[in-house]
Amino acid sequence: MSTSHQGHSGRVRNRLATSTSPYLQQHADNPVDWWPWCPEALELARSTDRPIVLSIGYSACHWCHVMAHESFADPSTAELMNAGFVNIKVDREERPDLDKIYQRAHQLLTERSGGWPLTLFLTPSDQTPFFAGTYFPPEPRHGLPAFKQVLQGVERAYRGQQTVIATQNARLTAALRQLEPRPAAELPTPRAIDEAVQRLAASFDTEHGGFGGAPKFPHPTNLELLLRRVARTQDLIRPKSEDHPAAGLDDHNVAPDALGMAEFTLERMCRGGLQDQLGGGFYRYSVDRAWMIPHFEKMLYDNGTLLSLCCDLYALTNAPLFRESATMTADWVMREMQLPAGGYSSSLDADSEGHEGQYYIWTRTQVESLLTPAEYQVFAAVYGLDRPANFESAWHLHGDRLPEAVAAEQRLEHATVEALLRSARATLAVARERRIHPDRDDKVLTSWNALMIKALARAARILERPDYLESAEQALAFIRLTLWREGRLLATCKDGVAHLNAYLDDYAFLLDALLELLQTRWSSADLAFAIDLAEVLLEQFQDPLEGGFWFTARDHEALMHRPKPLSDEATPAGNGVAAVALQRLGHLIGEPRYLTAAAMTLRLAADSIARMPEAHATLLMALEESHSPPEILVIRATDKRLEHWRREAQRGHRPHRIVVAIPADLTETLPGTLGAMQPGERPRLYRCRGTHCEPPIESLDDLRTG
């Protein structure tokens, strides 16, 4: 592997210049002698007995940019790094395997949660971390040492305290092993779901929505669990009308029932500063309790899970807000994130022009100069421009007031206010397009694309938008063409270069997305692909003895630890999604091996779920369907009646129902129990739950009353 490359400016660029990762490429001009994680770098550390500086981040990370500017671009800091260490830069999005291991190690070493940038120092012999931190400043401040001081201190410690480091490393390795789950004899009981809902209610913010205090994250899997609870318990849906809208930004102290928590939280996100009120899409998280000021990066995975939630709440409540937010998000994804080849980009940066949020914020003067007086009057009242600045002497748009309340105060018709807001947003969006945009990370990640494929398939079905289905199918076609090779998935692709063995999340999320697509339109090829993915999950990732799924495949490179992640993080837990999807596919085609694998996963997770059920929402969804299998409806019909019956079967929010509409004239042989569900002269519907199937029905009235 060559050491340097000549850039267009004539400057010498380091090894990262040829990386597929935009994050690594951002460091290609550093004077640091960076390596990517590779066998050559690890061997160099061993042969020269130099500790490894491992720096993990991602391209949209604001503090990663700060540390790069302050330290990695500084020649004197680079000199210390190059003289005493082998320096390895990792994109946590391309290498989540490394990130999961070393985030957990950081937590054990420091007794604090981690984050990005993650900074670790590893022993060269076995890559075990012996010192860890996150961001370090160039000079001592806020109780943090300067990064140069850290480098000097760590090098002295490595040379002079080998015995102490070896003892600590042994304890760390043992601690990582002890944290691994052990299977219980029985499945958890459904009481764990009740406990999770109760704990969520205890931490629910009745004033602003969400759970806990600042910083406040979306936690979409917890909201999905609450909506499933609503559907399971048949809670009455509160009526919506112009006179009685959903609990809004002018209301306080919402009762923490399942529907109230989910609906109020998502409404606050949609109306507030977490959603881009002009261009659509959700930011990463809110730095305050009120969902006012976000961390401005936009991640594909957040928008996939939140798009699904908006669709579900619209199906449940018929509230226009959730349809509008879903449409804005889906349109943003197609407009700004989908690449010409079909895949979706990973993220938009938080920064532009060197400042966080610069692209999104406004001054009063800017807004007033672009809008008519009538537009400005209502726009300022709704989005807070008539109140003190909320972001560095400027304004980030946040829905301070409900349009209904502003209409009443200004003695305007509600429809007039909504029309003025639409025209004002359109004008400002056009003006904002002329600004310098945040950088886009154009690598295509299989797992994150799968989350968006699932979301757009659901949006296409619930919102009746065929263009959303077309977008999802284009992304799936890209994965099939570029990232599926010789029966295995690859994790990432950038500029046509696909590489890295895929992880648990890639297989589980894509299997789940295919099942969602099959409910939107039938494809025998997609069902066959889903079965292929399920088989790789069992062959390469499942622990056949203790249950659950490792994050890496059997033939993955050997690392210092091989985790089985169970709890939800920013994305759903791979073990949880695998258990849900395998159960659903197992019931659909009658494959008991898939059901057994899911049950073994739930037994493995029993103790973890008991300790903190609210952190395992995805596994709790699998647990719910293990105890009470979903209702499966298989429709066989021709022409327009097939689509009509499908829409009727899927009407409303029905998370515990799987509906597939298979053309009666299908020529392919259907696998498993599907093969026995033959068409008739009239439309025919087969209803099954678990291992029990009822006689087919041939009337929609029977479906509605059944």
Side-chain angles (χ1 to χ4, degrees):
M1 183 175 289
S2 61
T3 302
S4 61
H5 303 270
Q6 199 76 16
H8 293 299
S9 64
R11 287 184 298 178
V12 173
R13 311 186 79 202
N14 60 45
R15 296 175 188 84
L16 305 185
T18 58
S19 170
T20 59
S21 161
Y23 173 64
L24 268 57
Q25 291 174 4
Q26 289 170 359
H27 296 78
D29 292 321
N30 292 167
V32 177
D33 186 21
W34 286 118
W35 287 83
W37 182 278
C38 61
E40 295 90 340
L42 303 182
E43 177 55 33
L44 177 65
R46 280 190 291 266
S47 63
T48 60
D49 192 29
R50 282 187 286 167
I52 294 168
V53 172
L54 179 62
S55 176
I56 302 178
Y58 60 103
S59 67
C61 167
H62 172 70
W63 285 103
C64 299
H65 299 332
V66 172
M67 191 167 177
H69 174 72
E70 292 175 339
S71 294
F72 302 146
D74 175 55
S76 60
T77 303
E79 185 176 358
L80 288 174
M81 296 176 69
N82 296 340
F85 304 89
V86 172
N87 306 292
I88 298 179
K89 175 64 73 174
V90 164
D91 183 340
R92 67 105 174 177
E93 296 170 357
E94 284 197 342
R95 295 300 305 261
D97 53 337
L98 296 172
D99 186 57
K100 287 183 183 296
I101 292 169
Y102 289 110
Q103 290 284 355
R104 176 65 64 88
H106 170 276
Q107 187 175 7
L108 290 172
L109 287 170
T110 66
E111 299 182 348
R112 295 192 302 272
S113 59
W116 301 279
L118 184 66
T119 307
L120 305 105
F121 294 84
L122 317 182
T123 53
S125 58
D126 56 7
Q127 299 89 55
T128 302
F130 61 94
F131 186 83
T134 52
Y135 163 80
F136 290 104
E139 304 295 337
R141 61 172 179 256
H142 306 307
L144 293 171
F147 189 50
K148 288 181 181 178
Q149 293 175 325
V150 172
L151 292 167
Q152 293 165 339
V154 166
E155 186 176 22
R156 285 196 301 269
Y158 180 73
R159 299 303 170 192
Q161 301 181 41
Q162 288 281 344
T163 302
V164 173
I165 289 173
T167 300
Q168 176 184 278
N169 285 359
R171 290 174 178 167
L172 175 65
T173 303
L176 286 170
R177 284 199 301 268
Q178 291 169 2
L179 287 173
E180 286 305 296
R182 294 291 181 265
E186 302 290 339
L187 289 177
T189 70
R191 288 194 299 272
I193 304 171
D194 299 330
E195 179 68 20
V197 173
Q198 291 167 8
R199 293 196 185 189
L200 289 174
S203 66
F204 180 66
D205 184 340
T206 59
E207 183 177 0
H208 299 292
F211 306 96
K216 191 170 282 184
F217 291 83
H219 296 299
T221 53
N222 285 339
L223 299 181
E224 183 180 358
L225 181 67
L226 293 174
L227 292 185
R228 290 173 70 96
R229 168 49 54 97
V230 173
R232 179 68 74 186
T233 58
Q234 299 295 308
D235 284 358
L236 293 177
I237 308 304
R238 294 190 299 278
K240 303 291 189 300
S241 71
E242 290 297 315
D243 298 323
H244 299 90
L249 297 172
D250 297 332
D251 302 322
H252 299 286
N253 300 320
V254 173
D257 60 279
L259 178 58
M261 287 188 286
E263 184 181 14
F264 185 54
T265 296
L266 192 59
E267 183 187 1
R268 283 292 177 117
M269 293 185 209
C270 292
R271 293 193 188 276
L274 194 74
Q275 182 174 234
D276 181 350
Q277 298 296 331
L278 299 183
F282 291 89
Y283 306 106
R284 175 75 274 268
Y285 63 86
S286 175
V287 302
D288 58 89
R289 274 186 62 205
W291 305 105
M292 180 178 287
I293 303 301
H295 186 37
F296 285 92
E297 65 199 37
K298 289 184 182 179
M299 311 302 295
L300 187 69
Y301 59 80
D302 286 319
N303 284 279
T305 51
L306 289 171
L307 171 56
S308 291
L309 274 174
C310 287
C311 292
D312 289 345
L313 260 166
Y314 174 68
L316 183 62
T317 67
N318 206 35
L321 170 66
F322 300 125
R323 182 184 182 97
E324 180 182 0
S325 290
T327 300
M328 288 178 65
T329 302
D331 290 349
W332 166 76
V333 168
M334 292 171 59
R335 183 180 66 249
E336 297 193 27
M337 302 300 282
Q338 191 155 29
L339 299 168
Y344 302 112
S345 299
S346 295
S347 63
L348 293 183
D349 207 319
D351 298 3
S352 57
E353 301 181 73
H355 299 281
E356 184 177 11
Q358 182 70 26
Y359 179 74
Y360 301 102
I361 61 174
W362 297 87
T363 66
R364 278 186 182 139
T365 302
Q366 288 172 327
V367 176
E368 283 185 294
S369 68
L370 291 165
L371 302 184
T372 67
E375 289 172 336
Y376 181 79
Q377 184 177 357
V378 298
F379 189 87
V382 169
Y383 291 110
L385 272 72
D386 58 351
R387 301 185 183 193
N390 62 9
F391 187 79
E392 299 177 359
S393 301
W395 280 262
H396 172 57
L397 300 182
H398 169 270
D400 280 280
R401 307 297 308 282
L402 288 169
E404 300 94 314
V406 172
E409 290 171 1
Q410 299 186 10
R411 298 184 179 181
L412 297 169
E413 293 290 332
H414 181 211
T416 300
V417 169
E418 291 288 2
L420 289 169
L421 289 174
R422 281 195 299 272
S423 63
R425 287 195 297 261
T427 298
L428 294 176
V430 170
R432 197 178 72 176
E433 274 294 304
R434 294 192 286 267
R435 296 178 177 178
I436 296 175
H437 286 235
D439 288 339
R440 184 176 70 175
D441 186 328
D442 281 347
K443 69 176 180 293
V444 175
L445 297 170
T446 301
S447 59
W448 295 8
N449 270 248
L451 291 173
M452 186 54 69
I453 290 169
K454 175 182 178 179
L456 284 168
R458 184 173 297 181
R461 185 170 69 248
I462 293 173
L463 306 182
E464 297 183 349
R465 288 285 301 266
D467 54 331
Y468 295 166
L469 175 59
E470 182 181 355
S471 173
E473 289 182 320
Q474 288 173 356
L476 177 62
F478 177 85
I479 290 174
R480 292 292 303 265
L481 179 65
T482 310
L483 292 158
W484 177 249
R485 295 184 183 174
E486 298 179 356
R488 297 287 293 275
L489 282 172
L490 297 173
T492 183
C493 179
K494 175 72 164 65
D495 297 331
V497 179
H499 69 134
L500 299 177
N501 293 332
Y503 310 101
L504 168 62
D505 290 359
D506 299 298
Y507 285 92
F509 293 3
L510 189 56
L511 171 57
D512 193 40
L514 288 166
L515 294 177
E516 190 75 32
L517 274 167
L518 288 171
Q519 294 194 74
T520 303
R521 78 334 172 225
W522 180 256
S523 167
S524 297
D526 283 357
L527 178 60
F529 190 22
I531 294 171
D532 288 342
L533 294 175
E535 292 298 325
V536 178
L537 275 173
L538 268 57
E539 178 186 339
Q540 287 289 334
F541 292 88
Q542 187 195 19
D543 182 343
L545 299 178
E546 296 200 332
F549 296 88
W550 284 293
F551 190 72
T552 53
R554 297 188 193 285
D555 54 3
H556 196 77
E557 72 172 289
L559 300 172
M560 65 165 290
H561 184 56
R562 192 184 183 198
K564 294 179 185 174
L566 299 174
S567 60
D568 296 322
E569 298 174 346
T571 56
N575 268 278
V577 176
V580 169
L582 285 170
Q583 280 182 157
R584 291 191 151 213
L585 181 60
H587 286 304
L588 183 64
I589 67 171
E591 177 48 77
R593 292 182 300 123
Y594 300 163
L595 304 179
T596 299
M600 290 179 67
T601 302
L602 290 168
R603 287 199 298 272
L604 179 77
D607 289 343
S608 296
I609 290 173
R611 286 194 301 271
M612 193 176 290
E614 71 277 17
H616 299 80
T618 307
L619 277 164
L620 290 179
M621 297 176 213
L623 176 66
E624 179 186 51
E625 294 195 353
S626 176
H627 286 286
S628 181
E631 177 186 40
I632 295 179
L633 303 182
V634 178
I635 303 167
R636 301 301 307 269
T638 57
D639 53 63
K640 295 180 180 178
R641 290 178 295 180
L642 182 70
E643 187 67 13
H644 176 59
W645 277 51
R646 181 189 65 77
R647 284 199 300 269
E648 287 297 310
Q650 293 172 333
R651 193 174 301 280
H653 177 58
R654 298 181 179 273
H656 305 103
R657 172 181 283 183
I658 302 169
V659 180
V660 292
I662 305 175
D665 56 358
L666 188 75
T667 57
E668 297 96 336
T669 300
L670 294 171
T673 52
L674 282 178
M677 298 180 184
Q678 295 295 317
E681 294 182 2
R682 301 178 58 189
R684 180 175 288 181
L685 183 145
Y686 295 84
R687 189 200 305 262
C688 301
R689 189 182 294 275
T691 58
H692 171 71
C693 290
E694 301 173 359
I697 62 176
E698 295 185 342
S699 167
L700 277 177
D701 291 335
D702 293 336
L703 171 64
R704 297 186 184 109
T705 59

